[in-house]
Amino acid sequence: MKLTLLLALLLCALQAANTRDEALEDLANAEHRFAATSVKKGFHQAFVEHLAGDGLVFAPSPTNGKKLHAEAPESKALLTWYPAYADISSSLDWGYTTGPYAFKAAPEDTATAGAGFYLSVWKKQPDGQWKVAIDMGNSFAPNLLKEEVYRPAPAPENKPAKGTTEGLLTQDVKPVQPYFEETLIYRHGAYPVKYKDVIIEPAANVRYSNLGHDLSPAADMAYTYGRYSQPTAKGTETGYYLKVWRVLGGEWRLVAHNLVPERK
């Protein structure tokens, strides 16, 4: 009897793992299709086809990305990218991807004009298709680009706990952010780095003003976005942020923290 029960539980666990792995692979494939459309039809059309109807991009303020790119003038520029990392909520219909991108003024150019790392949150639509809900990229010098190997996030060891909206928004505006070892930190002009590898502790004098948020249906992952300001030696830096969160140890913790300053 005990052996039968144990085998049944093991089978359920394996089926759940397979379901999650398949959903995560499906999400990564959606990102690859998005990038392939950019090469085939141009990046404006790619965003039109792969953003949700209410999907946001930062230009520099948060704006409807589908409308922005649909109305943009035709461009010969080539924007390429690929996912280096992806994770998914236990609801299997909400997740995020991140990876390097490169920009050329024309496809035939040998020189890369711009580069950076993107952060995109995806939501599965009623028709079963993955669409981008919000997207923000940081930028750095093209010579900092390096080849990344795709790594899907491992499945959580324990059943994810649920977080609350109140708890999320409280954490979002704290000057000292709830990082953990694997938090990916994006900063303008620099290649993203994990918190465990930072040399200088991230500034604790940043002030955040939330403009929006969304939780996965399972309430185990979320994103927040808004404005930030930070005193610097050259004056006050202002810009926009996008953060991705996961419930770890019963609390909301940052898994990705992106700050993009406004251009002066």
Side-chain angles (χ1 to χ4, degrees), residues 103-141:
F103 178 84
K104 292 183 178 181
E108 64 272 16
D109 287 357
T110 56
T112 299
F117 232 77
Y118 71 86
L119 175 61
S120 300
V121 176
W122 295 73
K123 296 168 68 174
K124 187 171 281 191
Q125 305 300 298
D127 63 1
Q129 293 189 70
W130 285 101
K131 297 289 184 179
V132 176
I134 191 166
D135 174 85
M136 174 186 272
N138 79 330
S139 60
F140 46 72

Side-chain angles (χ1 to χ4, degrees), residues 173-195:
V173 297
K174 286 184 176 180
V176 179
Q177 292 286 281
Y179 299 114
F180 75 113
E181 284 191 346
E182 298 298 316
T183 304
L184 194 58
I185 299 173
Y186 309 71
R187 293 296 182 268
H188 179 68
Y191 203 86
V193 62
K194 289 184 178 180
Y195 179 67

Side-chain angles (χ1 to χ4, degrees), residues 32-115:
H32 283 297
R33 288 192 295 271
F34 185 10
T37 304
S38 179
V39 174
K40 184 178 181 180
K41 300 181 180 180
F43 71 92
H44 287 311
Q45 185 60 30
F47 275 84
V48 170
E49 292 185 16
H50 294 274
L51 261 67
D54 58 354
L56 296 176
V57 297
F58 292 79
S61 60
T63 188
N64 183 284
K66 190 179 284 285
K67 183 175 185 294
L68 175 74
H69 285 280
E71 297 176 353
E74 186 176 347
S75 173
K76 293 182 179 180
L78 176 64
L79 181 63
T80 59
W81 69 89
Y82 60 90
Y85 186 80
D87 197 4
I88 196 168
S89 165
S90 61
S91 61
L92 306 183
D93 57 4
W94 199 107
Y96 75 96
T97 57
T98 186
Y101 72 82
F103 178 84
K104 292 183 178 181
E108 64 272 16
D109 287 357
T110 56
T112 299

Side-chain angles (χ1 to χ4, degrees), residues 106 121 137 149 181 205 217 258:
V121 176
V149 176
E181 284 191 346
N205 61 347
N258 197 355

